[in-house]
Amino acid sequence: MLETTFHDYTFQSPLMNASGVHCMSAEQLDELANSKAGTFVTKSVTKKKRQGNPEPRYYETNLGSINSMGLPNLGFDYYLDYLDKRQKMTSTPVFFSVASMSMQDNIETLKKLEDSNFRGFTELNLSCPNVLGKPQVAYDFDMTEKILTEVFSFFTKPLGVKLPPYFDIAHFDQMATILNKFPLTFVNSINSVGNGLIINPEKEQVVIKPKEGFGGIGGQYIKPTALANVRAFYVRLNPSIQIIGTGGITSGLDAFEHILCGASMLQIGTQLYKEGPKVFARISDELTTIMKTKGYTDIQQFQGKLKTLEDH
């Protein structure tokens, strides 16, 4: 019932983790693989191992979270070795996330991935808001086009980009025009809303250490922004470019709304952090119940079919 076709593969569920949550170590990735998630994505990897930003760098609230992780990961070779072994045991493709510290590092990492035996999907993260001193690449439209031109001059495996949230209709139009020039497999929208601030009023201080308390906002706070971005790109991108919806998914109803906006796959971040991998079974059950109540037998029957008030 929850099967979803993505590129040329049918996953048993559209649910997966968001890169950065429960995917640092082989043990965590194994737990995702053994959960009710349809697949998983690795940490956004850099060429070499990174410690990331100083702690505390993650903080939960009732409505979500703030983080400024700074791309902590165990390095490219660690994740490639893990996935090489995994590919020998299962045919289910996974996602390899790449987010290096410079354009040149990105290119070098992707060239290694192109030359490797990796057979899954590659996510190029153009939207990390929490690396000290580094702006989000995807807010620079010229740089985004330059990077994608370089990448697609040599990269032939299925590749998508992870985008930050956009807040202006003109920016949806501009970015979609750029993305439609390239043979992208998918767009993942959205990363956390960058540079929010959460305060502990009792202590009268910020709650995370990096960047004087500024960090990426996730969870229920960002669902309306995530839905808007999913919908905006679904109606603007070439039909061959599928959408991964990320942001504010805490329930089956949230998942249903993302799919209604046009998402083919769904990534869960903050709620996975709060509940652990059992979150996938709960949200799967809730989504299945909603579909049965509405008389849907598969996701394709309502995917992208969001109505406007003019439809009535």
Side-chain angles (χ1 to χ4, degrees):
M1 191 171 193
L2 296 184
E3 287 184 350
T4 185
T5 300
F6 193 82
H7 193 47
D8 55 2
Y9 187 83
T10 298
F11 291 101
Q12 294 305 301
S13 166
L15 302 177
M16 58 188 293
N17 66 304
S19 181
V21 183
H22 209 93
C23 55
M24 173 77 89
S25 65
E27 291 75 21
Q28 289 182 325
L29 292 169
D30 283 343
E31 288 173 0
L32 291 177
N34 293 324
S35 74
K36 291 293 184 182
T39 183
F40 63 78
V41 58
T42 67
K43 280 286 300 177
S44 287
V45 307
T46 49
K47 281 201 306 182
K48 303 293 184 185
K49 179 179 178 179
R50 273 179 60 84
Q51 293 297 324
N53 291 340
E55 297 180 332
R57 57 194 184 187
Y58 176 87
Y59 184 85
E60 282 179 12
T61 71
N62 289 337
L63 290 175
S65 64
I66 184 170
N67 86 85
S68 183
M69 304 301 286
L71 293 177
N73 71 96
L74 299 174
F76 175 83
D77 291 337
Y78 177 90
Y79 298 100
L80 187 62
D81 289 345
Y82 172 83
L83 295 179
D84 273 344
K85 293 169 188 165
R86 178 163 180 76
Q87 283 180 166
K88 295 179 176 120
M89 298 184 291
T90 176
S91 61
T92 302
V94 300
F95 289 72
F96 196 114
S97 184
V98 173
S100 295
M101 305 303 293
S102 69
M103 177 175 167
Q104 192 53 45
D105 280 358
N106 270 329
I107 298 302
E108 287 179 27
T109 302
L110 289 172
K111 282 183 175 174
K112 281 187 183 177
L113 206 52
E114 171 74 8
D115 294 337
S116 74
N117 293 322
F118 178 65
R119 297 191 301 272
F121 299 96
T122 301
E123 175 185 277
L124 176 58
N125 186 347
L126 299 178
S127 59
C128 183
N130 302 317
V131 177
L132 300 177
K134 299 287 184 182
Q136 292 195 54
V137 172
Y139 285 146
D140 183 333
F141 294 153
D142 290 339
M143 177 60 73
T144 297
E145 185 165 6
K146 182 179 178 184
I147 288 174
L148 291 177
T149 300
E150 174 88 8
V151 167
F152 282 108
S153 71
F154 66 87
F155 201 81
T156 61
K157 297 177 178 181
L159 180 132
V161 291
K162 186 168 188 178
L163 297 178
Y166 297 97
F167 304 98
D168 196 297
I169 298 296
H171 292 158
F172 292 138
D173 292 340
Q174 286 176 267
M175 181 51 71
T177 298
I178 292 168
L179 298 176
N180 279 331
K181 295 178 181 180
F182 300 97
L184 288 161
T185 300
F186 66 92
V187 163
N188 183 355
S189 184
I190 58 173
N191 206 330
S192 55
V193 174
N195 295 313
L197 189 66
I198 289 174
I199 293 169
N200 180 330
E202 292 179 8
K203 294 183 178 180
E204 301 180 11
Q205 69 179 20
V206 301
V207 296
I208 58 173
K209 186 171 184 179
K211 295 169 64 177
E212 298 183 335
F214 284 68
I217 302 296
Q220 289 173 271
Y221 294 114
I222 72 170
K223 190 180 87 166
T225 299
L227 293 176
N229 277 259
V230 168
R231 187 62 181 173
F233 285 115
Y234 179 76
V235 300
R236 286 169 174 78
L237 293 177
N238 297 331
S240 58
I241 303 176
Q242 290 178 272
I243 312 289
I244 298 177
T246 307
I249 299 176
T250 65
S251 68
L253 185 59
D254 298 328
F256 179 81
E257 291 177 6
H258 266 270
I259 296 168
L260 197 61
C261 286
S264 296
M265 299 285 287
L266 308 170
Q267 291 188 355
I268 301 173
T270 296
Q271 201 62 27
L272 170 59
Y273 210 113
K274 290 183 176 185
E275 284 184 50
K278 66 179 187 293
V279 71
F280 297 111
R282 177 179 65 78
I283 292 180
S284 294
D285 289 344
E286 292 173 1
L287 177 57
T288 299
T289 299
I290 291 168
M291 289 170 61
K292 286 179 178 175
T293 301
K294 289 177 170 286
Y296 294 125
T297 56
D298 66 63
I299 282 171
Q300 286 67 42
Q301 291 171 336
F302 63 94
Q303 183 185 6
K305 298 200 166 102
L306 180 68
K307 300 168 187 168
T308 64
L309 296 186
E310 284 72 33
D311 295 333
H312 295 279

